[in-house]
């Protein structure tokens, strides 16, 4: 029997899925395929993958068909995030790169943080919904500024900050 796990979106193989047959974990090859001689019976399967909704069900090995295709529904949208030059992009507390990031975001709520040296972190929360690709242009984080008041004794002393008078 040949069992193939593919994306319902574009029929591409999902080789990294966790696949079990009658409660026993099996291994998919790089093409998302599991092949094994099975006797005639009813079989239960379960397939889980990070970016797809869990699929489970049954099929019968009856000698009429030697292939079963499992189509997994996506649980993500494609995201494109652009940040001002030099800014780090963090998604849910994980560093994703600088300036821009493109990839898959799981459906649901995510925290996007922009970080830049000598600037406050800029944070925003986004909700990724099915059928709505994410395109975000992030604002420049606010520069950390402050006021320094120096009182010296003796009066009139020279003051240096970061080696600048």
């Amino acid at each position: 029997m040949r069992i193939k796990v593919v994306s319902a979106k574009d029929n591409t193989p999902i080789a990294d899925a966790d696949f079990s047959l009658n409660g026993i974990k099996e291994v998919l090859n790089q093409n998302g395929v599991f092949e094994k001689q099975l006797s005639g019976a009813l079989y239960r399967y379960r397939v889980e993958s990070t970016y797809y909704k869990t699929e489970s069900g049954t099929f019968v090995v009856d000698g009429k068909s030697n292939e079963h295709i499992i189509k997994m529904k996506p649980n993500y949208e494609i995201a494109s995030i652009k940040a001002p030059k030099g800014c780090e992009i963090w998604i849910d507390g994980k560093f994703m790169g600088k300036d821009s990031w493109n990839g898959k975001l799981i459906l649901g709520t995510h925290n996007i943080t922009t970080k830049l040296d000598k600037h406050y972190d800029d944070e925003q929360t986004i909700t990724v919904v099915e059928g709505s690709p994410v395109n975000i242009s992030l604002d420049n984080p606010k520069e950390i500024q402050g006021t320094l008041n120096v009182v010296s004794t003796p009066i009139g002393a020279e003051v240096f900050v970061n080696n600048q008078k």
Side-chain angles (χ1 to χ4, degrees), residues 32-103:
V33 174
F34 167 76
E35 290 185 283
K36 186 175 186 179
Q37 187 72 28
L38 299 175
S39 59
L42 176 72
Y43 291 87
R44 294 180 333 272
Y45 67 84
R46 182 176 177 89
V47 188
E48 297 176 343
S49 182
T50 302
Y51 293 106
Y52 293 87
K53 296 176 183 175
T54 298
E55 293 289 333
S56 60
T58 61
F59 64 91
V60 176
V61 174
D62 57 8
K64 294 178 184 174
S65 173
N66 63 350
E67 183 172 70
H68 183 74
I69 297 175
I70 301 169
K71 293 192 174 200
M72 297 188 76
K73 296 178 184 99
N75 191 34
Y76 69 90
E77 278 300 331
I78 298 297
S80 176
I81 300 174
K82 293 187 183 348
K85 186 167 176 55
C87 289
E88 294 179 350
I89 298 170
W90 292 71
I91 300 175
D92 299 327
K94 183 179 176 188
F95 175 70
M96 304 306 281
K98 281 189 175 183
D99 303 334
S100 66
W101 177 81
N102 296 297

Side-chain angles (χ1 to χ4, degrees), residues 105-164:
L105 276 181
I106 294 173
L107 302 181
T109 303
H110 298 276
N111 294 313
I112 311 293
T113 305
T114 311
K115 296 183 179 201
L116 183 63
D117 191 38
K118 299 180 185 174
H119 290 72
Y120 292 105
D121 291 352
D122 185 55
E123 296 183 20
Q124 62 178 291
T125 300
I126 63 165
T127 301
V128 180
V129 295
E130 191 171 351
S132 296
V134 177
N135 290 300
I136 299 174
S137 290
L138 301 169
D139 294 331
N140 211 352
K142 293 181 182 169
E143 188 175 11
I144 298 173
Q145 295 181 349
T147 303
L148 176 65
N149 184 19
V150 178
V151 178
S152 71
T153 304
I155 295 174
E158 290 183 340
V159 177
F160 291 81
V161 176
N162 291 338
N163 292 324
Q164 293 184 342

Side-chain angles (χ1 to χ4, degrees), residues 4-14 31 69-71:
K4 188 172 185 179
V5 179
V6 299
S7 169
K9 189 173 189 173
D10 56 13
N11 284 325
T12 56
I14 305 174
N31 297 316
I69 297 175
I70 301 169
K71 293 192 174 200

